[in-house]
Amino acid sequence: MVERKTSPAVEASLTALAVSLRGVTKAYDNGVMALGPFDLTVRKGEFISLLGPSGCGKSTALRIIAGLSAPSSGTVRVARHEGEVQPGQPGHGIGFVFQEPTLMPWTSVRENVRLPLRLAGVPKADARARADAALASVGLADFAGAYPRELSGGMKMRVSLARALVTDPDILLMDEPFAALDEITRFRLNNDLLVLWRRLGKTVIFVTHSVFESVYLSQRVVVMTARPGRIQADIRIETVEPRGEEFRTSAAYSDYCRRVSAALAPSYSGQSTL
């Protein structure tokens, strides 16, 4: 049996469901069926990746979970510490990191991170302190007064992550946040994200096109079919925690990458084993 050393915060949170999608579909007005039927269960504290070809509905699934898009059919349930609410209602505890940082160029890093709190009516002093704490958590404490134009691409994504974390969400949705970054920066941010996840115990659903990134980050890799997106395979990544560079160069990592790649191959060939 493989030894697992997940943090107490993560272990405690894995006793309850965070997200449940049952029979979810999404059809657009132009007749395109983007998703489904799609069934997904995520437990609190899990880190999962959605992996699949472009247009398979990965981002659509995230937007449905976040309440930014309504499913055409099916049921979506999102839980929080205080109980269970429907997506889109205030306070359902979701942070969203988009593909682009989408920072306001005319204001400081601190004010960009403070924005969700300002919109929620949090007093300025409290919001400032929370924004500074979020920036410190992503290694940008010294850049609170800087402007987005003064930051590298990787630093901008850190700001975007801090903004998603500043409301202390239960669930963190990440839509290919590192796709446009160079490989060295991407590896570094992957490592930093795992450190944050272990420390904070958040539920993370991470969208990526990278087999290597999905295997390195995730407890589970959910491989999706070509459109309309369904689940092709749900592969659990069992390895010693915490992960580091030794895992990235291990035989186990290579084996998992081959397994995930094999599950993904039918989606790119226009075939499905479903």
Side-chain angles (χ1 to χ4, degrees), residues 171-198:
I171 300 167
L172 188 62
L173 307 179
M174 306 187 72
D175 191 2
E176 297 189 75
F178 309 143
L181 302 177
D182 66 86
E183 189 173 37
I184 294 173
T185 301
R186 189 169 183 165
F187 282 5
R188 184 180 300 119
L189 289 176
N190 284 170
N191 291 337
D192 291 346
L193 178 58
L194 283 180
V195 170
L196 271 175
W197 169 70
R198 283 192 292 265

PDB file of all heavy atoms in Angstrom, residues 171-198:
ATOM      1  N   ILE A 171     -14.255  26.323  -2.191  1.00  0.00           N
ATOM      2  CA  ILE A 171     -13.942  25.654  -3.454  1.00  0.00           C
ATOM      3  C   ILE A 171     -13.207  26.632  -4.359  1.00  0.00           C
ATOM      4  O   ILE A 171     -13.633  27.784  -4.523  1.00  0.00           O
ATOM      5  CB  ILE A 171     -15.225  25.163  -4.148  1.00  0.00           C
ATOM      6  CG1 ILE A 171     -15.967  24.168  -3.248  1.00  0.00           C
ATOM      7  CG2 ILE A 171     -14.909  24.517  -5.501  1.00  0.00           C
ATOM      8  CD1 ILE A 171     -17.383  23.876  -3.709  1.00  0.00           C
ATOM      9  N   LEU A 172     -12.119  26.170  -4.960  1.00  0.00           N
ATOM     10  CA  LEU A 172     -11.333  26.977  -5.880  1.00  0.00           C
ATOM     11  C   LEU A 172     -11.406  26.351  -7.261  1.00  0.00           C
ATOM     12  O   LEU A 172     -10.986  25.208  -7.457  1.00  0.00           O
ATOM     13  CB  LEU A 172      -9.885  27.056  -5.402  1.00  0.00           C
ATOM     14  CG  LEU A 172      -8.941  28.008  -6.143  1.00  0.00           C
ATOM     15  CD1 LEU A 172      -9.417  29.448  -6.031  1.00  0.00           C
ATOM     16  CD2 LEU A 172      -7.516  27.867  -5.601  1.00  0.00           C
ATOM     17  N   LEU A 173     -11.960  27.096  -8.226  1.00  0.00           N
ATOM     18  CA  LEU A 173     -12.054  26.657  -9.610  1.00  0.00           C
ATOM     19  C   LEU A 173     -10.982  27.371 -10.420  1.00  0.00           C
ATOM     20  O   LEU A 173     -10.877  28.594 -10.370  1.00  0.00           O
ATOM     21  CB  LEU A 173     -13.439  26.975 -10.178  1.00  0.00           C
ATOM     22  CG  LEU A 173     -14.637  26.458  -9.377  1.00  0.00           C
ATOM     23  CD1 LEU A 173     -15.943  26.878 -10.042  1.00  0.00           C
ATOM     24  CD2 LEU A 173     -14.585  24.941  -9.217  1.00  0.00           C
ATOM     25  N   MET A 174     -10.195  26.613 -11.186  1.00  0.00           N
ATOM     26  CA  MET A 174      -9.068  27.186 -11.911  1.00  0.00           C
ATOM     27  C   MET A 174      -9.122  26.726 -13.367  1.00  0.00           C
ATOM     28  O   MET A 174      -9.031  25.536 -13.664  1.00  0.00           O
ATOM     29  CB  MET A 174      -7.756  26.771 -11.255  1.00  0.00           C
ATOM     30  CG  MET A 174      -7.692  27.085  -9.764  1.00  0.00           C
ATOM     31  SD  MET A 174      -6.064  26.775  -8.996  1.00  0.00           S
ATOM     32  CE  MET A 174      -5.109  28.133  -9.678  1.00  0.00           C
ATOM     33  N   ASP A 175      -9.301  27.702 -14.274  1.00  0.00           N
ATOM     34  CA  ASP A 175      -9.506  27.399 -15.686  1.00  0.00           C
ATOM     35  C   ASP A 175      -8.230  27.670 -16.482  1.00  0.00           C
ATOM     36  O   ASP A 175      -8.001  28.779 -16.956  1.00  0.00           O
ATOM     37  CB  ASP A 175     -10.665  28.250 -16.223  1.00  0.00           C
ATOM     38  CG  ASP A 175     -11.109  27.810 -17.602  1.00  0.00           C
ATOM     39  OD1 ASP A 175     -10.545  26.832 -18.131  1.00  0.00           O
ATOM     40  OD2 ASP A 175     -12.030  28.437 -18.163  1.00  0.00           O
ATOM     41  N   GLU A 176      -7.381  26.653 -16.610  1.00  0.00           N
ATOM     42  CA  GLU A 176      -6.114  26.754 -17.338  1.00  0.00           C
ATOM     43  C   GLU A 176      -5.315  28.000 -16.951  1.00  0.00           C
ATOM     44  O   GLU A 176      -4.879  28.759 -17.829  1.00  0.00           O
ATOM     45  CB  GLU A 176      -6.360  26.757 -18.841  1.00  0.00           C
ATOM     46  CG  GLU A 176      -6.980  25.484 -19.372  1.00  0.00           C
ATOM     47  CD  GLU A 176      -7.000  25.458 -20.894  1.00  0.00           C
ATOM     48  OE1 GLU A 176      -5.924  25.230 -21.474  1.00  0.00           O
ATOM     49  OE2 GLU A 176      -8.073  25.690 -21.471  1.00  0.00           O
ATOM     50  N   PRO A 177      -5.078  28.219 -15.672  1.00  0.00           N
ATOM     51  CA  PRO A 177      -4.457  29.482 -15.266  1.00  0.00           C
ATOM     52  C   PRO A 177      -3.007  29.632 -15.686  1.00  0.00           C
ATOM     53  O   PRO A 177      -2.512  30.759 -15.781  1.00  0.00           O
ATOM     54  CB  PRO A 177      -4.579  29.440 -13.742  1.00  0.00           C
ATOM     55  CG  PRO A 177      -4.591  27.981 -13.409  1.00  0.00           C
ATOM     56  CD  PRO A 177      -5.366  27.353 -14.528  1.00  0.00           C
ATOM     57  N   PHE A 178      -2.307  28.529 -15.937  1.00  0.00           N
ATOM     58  CA  PHE A 178      -0.872  28.606 -16.222  1.00  0.00           C
ATOM     59  C   PHE A 178      -0.538  28.292 -17.679  1.00  0.00           C
ATOM     60  O   PHE A 178       0.637  28.168 -18.039  1.00  0.00           O
ATOM     61  CB  PHE A 178      -0.104  27.631 -15.313  1.00  0.00           C
ATOM     62  CG  PHE A 178      -0.438  27.771 -13.849  1.00  0.00           C
ATOM     63  CD1 PHE A 178      -0.499  26.641 -13.037  1.00  0.00           C
ATOM     64  CD2 PHE A 178      -0.697  29.006 -13.283  1.00  0.00           C
ATOM     65  CE1 PHE A 178      -0.806  26.752 -11.682  1.00  0.00           C
ATOM     66  CE2 PHE A 178      -1.014  29.132 -11.933  1.00  0.00           C
ATOM     67  CZ  PHE A 178      -1.070  27.995 -11.138  1.00  0.00           C
ATOM     68  N   ALA A 179      -1.541  28.180 -18.518  1.00  0.00           N
ATOM     69  CA  ALA A 179      -1.328  27.699 -19.886  1.00  0.00           C
ATOM     70  C   ALA A 179      -0.428  28.614 -20.708  1.00  0.00           C
ATOM     71  O   ALA A 179       0.323  28.141 -21.567  1.00  0.00           O
ATOM     72  CB  ALA A 179      -2.667  27.532 -20.594  1.00  0.00           C
ATOM     73  N   ALA A 180      -0.480  29.922 -20.466  1.00  0.00           N
ATOM     74  CA  ALA A 180       0.273  30.871 -21.293  1.00  0.00           C
ATOM     75  C   ALA A 180       1.671  31.162 -20.758  1.00  0.00           C
ATOM     76  O   ALA A 180       2.398  31.969 -21.338  1.00  0.00           O
ATOM     77  CB  ALA A 180      -0.509  32.184 -21.411  1.00  0.00           C
ATOM     78  N   LEU A 181       2.054  30.504 -19.681  1.00  0.00           N
ATOM     79  CA  LEU A 181       3.335  30.800 -19.037  1.00  0.00           C
ATOM     80  C   LEU A 181       4.437  29.888 -19.564  1.00  0.00           C
ATOM     81  O   LEU A 181       4.184  28.789 -20.062  1.00  0.00           O
ATOM     82  CB  LEU A 181       3.201  30.625 -17.521  1.00  0.00           C
ATOM     83  CG  LEU A 181       2.119  31.481 -16.847  1.00  0.00           C
ATOM     84  CD1 LEU A 181       2.045  31.154 -15.366  1.00  0.00           C
ATOM     85  CD2 LEU A 181       2.395  32.963 -17.056  1.00  0.00           C
ATOM     86  N   ASP A 182       5.674  30.340 -19.427  1.00  0.00           N
ATOM     87  CA  ASP A 182       6.810  29.499 -19.809  1.00  0.00           C
ATOM     88  C   ASP A 182       6.911  28.317 -18.853  1.00  0.00           C
ATOM     89  O   ASP A 182       6.367  28.330 -17.750  1.00  0.00           O
ATOM     90  CB  ASP A 182       8.106  30.315 -19.801  1.00  0.00           C
ATOM     91  CG  ASP A 182       8.486  30.792 -18.415  1.00  0.00           C
ATOM     92  OD1 ASP A 182       9.154  30.030 -17.687  1.00  0.00           O
ATOM     93  OD2 ASP A 182       8.096  31.918 -18.038  1.00  0.00           O
ATOM     94  N   GLU A 183       7.618  27.288 -19.289  1.00  0.00           N
ATOM     95  CA  GLU A 183       7.644  26.030 -18.551  1.00  0.00           C
ATOM     96  C   GLU A 183       8.232  26.179 -17.152  1.00  0.00           C
ATOM     97  O   GLU A 183       7.716  25.609 -16.179  1.00  0.00           O
ATOM     98  CB  GLU A 183       8.437  24.983 -19.343  1.00  0.00           C
ATOM     99  CG  GLU A 183       8.339  23.582 -18.775  1.00  0.00           C
ATOM    100  CD  GLU A 183       8.999  22.564 -19.676  1.00  0.00           C
ATOM    101  OE1 GLU A 183      10.049  22.891 -20.278  1.00  0.00           O
ATOM    102  OE2 GLU A 183       8.474  21.442 -19.784  1.00  0.00           O
ATOM    103  N   ILE A 184       9.295  26.956 -17.009  1.00  0.00           N
ATOM    104  CA  ILE A 184       9.926  27.123 -15.694  1.00  0.00           C
ATOM    105  C   ILE A 184       8.960  27.793 -14.725  1.00  0.00           C
ATOM    106  O   ILE A 184       8.786  27.354 -13.575  1.00  0.00           O
ATOM    107  CB  ILE A 184      11.228  27.939 -15.823  1.00  0.00           C
ATOM    108  CG1 ILE A 184      12.265  27.152 -16.620  1.00  0.00           C
ATOM    109  CG2 ILE A 184      11.782  28.299 -14.450  1.00  0.00           C
ATOM    110  CD1 ILE A 184      13.529  27.935 -16.939  1.00  0.00           C
ATOM    111  N   THR A 185       8.295  28.867 -15.182  1.00  0.00           N
ATOM    112  CA  THR A 185       7.335  29.564 -14.329  1.00  0.00           C
ATOM    113  C   THR A 185       6.160  28.658 -13.999  1.00  0.00           C
ATOM    114  O   THR A 185       5.674  28.635 -12.856  1.00  0.00           O
ATOM    115  CB  THR A 185       6.833  30.843 -15.031  1.00  0.00           C
ATOM    116  OG1 THR A 185       7.951  31.688 -15.321  1.00  0.00           O
ATOM    117  CG2 THR A 185       5.844  31.599 -14.159  1.00  0.00           C
ATOM    118  N   ARG A 186       5.733  27.889 -14.977  1.00  0.00           N
ATOM    119  CA  ARG A 186       4.595  26.983 -14.760  1.00  0.00           C
ATOM    120  C   ARG A 186       4.937  25.935 -13.706  1.00  0.00           C
ATOM    121  O   ARG A 186       4.129  25.654 -12.811  1.00  0.00           O
ATOM    122  CB  ARG A 186       4.232  26.320 -16.085  1.00  0.00           C
ATOM    123  CG  ARG A 186       2.952  25.517 -16.066  1.00  0.00           C
ATOM    124  CD  ARG A 186       2.573  25.149 -17.487  1.00  0.00           C
ATOM    125  NE  ARG A 186       1.321  24.448 -17.571  1.00  0.00           N
ATOM    126  CZ  ARG A 186       0.637  24.273 -18.701  1.00  0.00           C
ATOM    127  NH1 ARG A 186       1.093  24.772 -19.829  1.00  0.00           N
ATOM    128  NH2 ARG A 186      -0.510  23.615 -18.709  1.00  0.00           N
ATOM    129  N   PHE A 187       6.115  25.345 -13.786  1.00  0.00           N
ATOM    130  CA  PHE A 187       6.530  24.357 -12.790  1.00  0.00           C
ATOM    131  C   PHE A 187       6.560  24.982 -11.393  1.00  0.00           C
ATOM    132  O   PHE A 187       6.116  24.375 -10.412  1.00  0.00           O
ATOM    133  CB  PHE A 187       7.916  23.803 -13.130  1.00  0.00           C
ATOM    134  CG  PHE A 187       7.913  22.771 -14.223  1.00  0.00           C
ATOM    135  CD1 PHE A 187       6.757  22.453 -14.924  1.00  0.00           C
ATOM    136  CD2 PHE A 187       9.089  22.115 -14.566  1.00  0.00           C
ATOM    137  CE1 PHE A 187       6.758  21.508 -15.937  1.00  0.00           C
ATOM    138  CE2 PHE A 187       9.106  21.161 -15.578  1.00  0.00           C
ATOM    139  CZ  PHE A 187       7.936  20.861 -16.259  1.00  0.00           C
ATOM    140  N   ARG A 188       7.090  26.193 -11.308  1.00  0.00           N
ATOM    141  CA  ARG A 188       7.182  26.858 -10.008  1.00  0.00           C
ATOM    142  C   ARG A 188       5.796  27.116  -9.427  1.00  0.00           C
ATOM    143  O   ARG A 188       5.545  26.889  -8.234  1.00  0.00           O
ATOM    144  CB  ARG A 188       7.952  28.171 -10.148  1.00  0.00           C
ATOM    145  CG  ARG A 188       8.184  28.894  -8.824  1.00  0.00           C
ATOM    146  CD  ARG A 188       8.941  30.184  -9.014  1.00  0.00           C
ATOM    147  NE  ARG A 188      10.251  29.962  -9.608  1.00  0.00           N
ATOM    148  CZ  ARG A 188      10.640  30.463 -10.776  1.00  0.00           C
ATOM    149  NH1 ARG A 188       9.818  31.226 -11.486  1.00  0.00           N
ATOM    150  NH2 ARG A 188      11.844  30.229 -11.238  1.00  0.00           N
ATOM    151  N   LEU A 189       4.879  27.575 -10.271  1.00  0.00           N
ATOM    152  CA  LEU A 189       3.526  27.857  -9.791  1.00  0.00           C
ATOM    153  C   LEU A 189       2.781  26.565  -9.450  1.00  0.00           C
ATOM    154  O   LEU A 189       1.965  26.550  -8.522  1.00  0.00           O
ATOM    155  CB  LEU A 189       2.758  28.670 -10.832  1.00  0.00           C
ATOM    156  CG  LEU A 189       3.215  30.118 -10.979  1.00  0.00           C
ATOM    157  CD1 LEU A 189       2.454  30.809 -12.112  1.00  0.00           C
ATOM    158  CD2 LEU A 189       3.035  30.892  -9.687  1.00  0.00           C
ATOM    159  N   ASN A 190       3.044  25.497 -10.182  1.00  0.00           N
ATOM    160  CA  ASN A 190       2.477  24.201  -9.804  1.00  0.00           C
ATOM    161  C   ASN A 190       2.899  23.818  -8.394  1.00  0.00           C
ATOM    162  O   ASN A 190       2.072  23.400  -7.568  1.00  0.00           O
ATOM    163  CB  ASN A 190       2.930  23.112 -10.777  1.00  0.00           C
ATOM    164  CG  ASN A 190       2.229  23.133 -12.115  1.00  0.00           C
ATOM    165  OD1 ASN A 190       2.627  22.428 -13.042  1.00  0.00           O
ATOM    166  ND2 ASN A 190       1.182  23.931 -12.255  1.00  0.00           N
ATOM    167  N   ASN A 191       4.191  23.951  -8.098  1.00  0.00           N
ATOM    168  CA  ASN A 191       4.692  23.629  -6.767  1.00  0.00           C
ATOM    169  C   ASN A 191       4.061  24.505  -5.700  1.00  0.00           C
ATOM    170  O   ASN A 191       3.642  24.030  -4.635  1.00  0.00           O
ATOM    171  CB  ASN A 191       6.215  23.772  -6.723  1.00  0.00           C
ATOM    172  CG  ASN A 191       6.928  22.710  -7.535  1.00  0.00           C
ATOM    173  OD1 ASN A 191       6.389  21.637  -7.794  1.00  0.00           O
ATOM    174  ND2 ASN A 191       8.155  23.001  -7.944  1.00  0.00           N
ATOM    175  N   ASP A 192       3.975  25.805  -5.986  1.00  0.00           N
ATOM    176  CA  ASP A 192       3.407  26.741  -5.012  1.00  0.00           C
ATOM    177  C   ASP A 192       1.928  26.459  -4.781  1.00  0.00           C
ATOM    178  O   ASP A 192       1.430  26.585  -3.654  1.00  0.00           O
ATOM    179  CB  ASP A 192       3.595  28.181  -5.491  1.00  0.00           C
ATOM    180  CG  ASP A 192       5.051  28.617  -5.482  1.00  0.00           C
ATOM    181  OD1 ASP A 192       5.880  27.914  -4.865  1.00  0.00           O
ATOM    182  OD2 ASP A 192       5.370  29.652  -6.086  1.00  0.00           O
ATOM    183  N   LEU A 193       1.215  26.091  -5.835  1.00  0.00           N
ATOM    184  CA  LEU A 193      -0.207  25.786  -5.695  1.00  0.00           C
ATOM    185  C   LEU A 193      -0.417  24.568  -4.805  1.00  0.00           C
ATOM    186  O   LEU A 193      -1.329  24.551  -3.963  1.00  0.00           O
ATOM    187  CB  LEU A 193      -0.829  25.555  -7.075  1.00  0.00           C
ATOM    188  CG  LEU A 193      -2.309  25.179  -7.100  1.00  0.00           C
ATOM    189  CD1 LEU A 193      -3.162  26.248  -6.428  1.00  0.00           C
ATOM    190  CD2 LEU A 193      -2.777  24.944  -8.540  1.00  0.00           C
ATOM    191  N   LEU A 194       0.424  23.555  -4.949  1.00  0.00           N
ATOM    192  CA  LEU A 194       0.304  22.377  -4.094  1.00  0.00           C
ATOM    193  C   LEU A 194       0.571  22.716  -2.631  1.00  0.00           C
ATOM    194  O   LEU A 194      -0.104  22.198  -1.733  1.00  0.00           O
ATOM    195  CB  LEU A 194       1.273  21.283  -4.570  1.00  0.00           C
ATOM    196  CG  LEU A 194       0.852  20.489  -5.803  1.00  0.00           C
ATOM    197  CD1 LEU A 194       1.911  19.454  -6.159  1.00  0.00           C
ATOM    198  CD2 LEU A 194      -0.500  19.814  -5.600  1.00  0.00           C
ATOM    199  N   VAL A 195       1.537  23.589  -2.387  1.00  0.00           N
ATOM    200  CA  VAL A 195       1.817  24.018  -1.008  1.00  0.00           C
ATOM    201  C   VAL A 195       0.595  24.718  -0.420  1.00  0.00           C
ATOM    202  O   VAL A 195       0.188  24.460   0.722  1.00  0.00           O
ATOM    203  CB  VAL A 195       3.051  24.942  -0.971  1.00  0.00           C
ATOM    204  CG1 VAL A 195       3.199  25.583   0.412  1.00  0.00           C
ATOM    205  CG2 VAL A 195       4.316  24.165  -1.315  1.00  0.00           C
ATOM    206  N   LEU A 196      -0.015  25.621  -1.203  1.00  0.00           N
ATOM    207  CA  LEU A 196      -1.220  26.328  -0.744  1.00  0.00           C
ATOM    208  C   LEU A 196      -2.360  25.358  -0.479  1.00  0.00           C
ATOM    209  O   LEU A 196      -3.070  25.465   0.530  1.00  0.00           O
ATOM    210  CB  LEU A 196      -1.652  27.352  -1.790  1.00  0.00           C
ATOM    211  CG  LEU A 196      -1.059  28.747  -1.705  1.00  0.00           C
ATOM    212  CD1 LEU A 196      -1.518  29.572  -2.904  1.00  0.00           C
ATOM    213  CD2 LEU A 196      -1.456  29.443  -0.410  1.00  0.00           C
ATOM    214  N   TRP A 197      -2.555  24.427  -1.386  1.00  0.00           N
ATOM    215  CA  TRP A 197      -3.645  23.455  -1.226  1.00  0.00           C
ATOM    216  C   TRP A 197      -3.467  22.629   0.040  1.00  0.00           C
ATOM    217  O   TRP A 197      -4.423  22.436   0.808  1.00  0.00           O
ATOM    218  CB  TRP A 197      -3.706  22.548  -2.452  1.00  0.00           C
ATOM    219  CG  TRP A 197      -4.610  21.365  -2.269  1.00  0.00           C
ATOM    220  CD1 TRP A 197      -5.981  21.356  -2.193  1.00  0.00           C
ATOM    221  CD2 TRP A 197      -4.205  19.997  -2.116  1.00  0.00           C
ATOM    222  NE1 TRP A 197      -6.453  20.087  -2.022  1.00  0.00           N
ATOM    223  CE2 TRP A 197      -5.380  19.231  -1.962  1.00  0.00           C
ATOM    224  CE3 TRP A 197      -2.964  19.356  -2.105  1.00  0.00           C
ATOM    225  CZ2 TRP A 197      -5.345  17.843  -1.802  1.00  0.00           C
ATOM    226  CZ3 TRP A 197      -2.931  17.980  -1.944  1.00  0.00           C
ATOM    227  CH2 TRP A 197      -4.117  17.239  -1.792  1.00  0.00           C
ATOM    228  N   ARG A 198      -2.252  22.163   0.291  1.00  0.00           N
ATOM    229  CA  ARG A 198      -2.020  21.369   1.496  1.00  0.00           C
ATOM    230  C   ARG A 198      -2.245  22.194   2.752  1.00  0.00           C
ATOM    231  O   ARG A 198      -2.787  21.704   3.751  1.00  0.00           O
ATOM    232  CB  ARG A 198      -0.598  20.794   1.481  1.00  0.00           C
ATOM    233  CG  ARG A 198      -0.423  19.598   0.560  1.00  0.00           C
ATOM    234  CD  ARG A 198       0.898  18.897   0.795  1.00  0.00           C
ATOM    235  NE  ARG A 198       2.021  19.724   0.388  1.00  0.00           N
ATOM    236  CZ  ARG A 198       2.610  19.664  -0.799  1.00  0.00           C
ATOM    237  NH1 ARG A 198       2.158  18.831  -1.713  1.00  0.00           N
ATOM    238  NH2 ARG A 198       3.634  20.437  -1.079  1.00  0.00           N
TER     239      ARG A 198
END
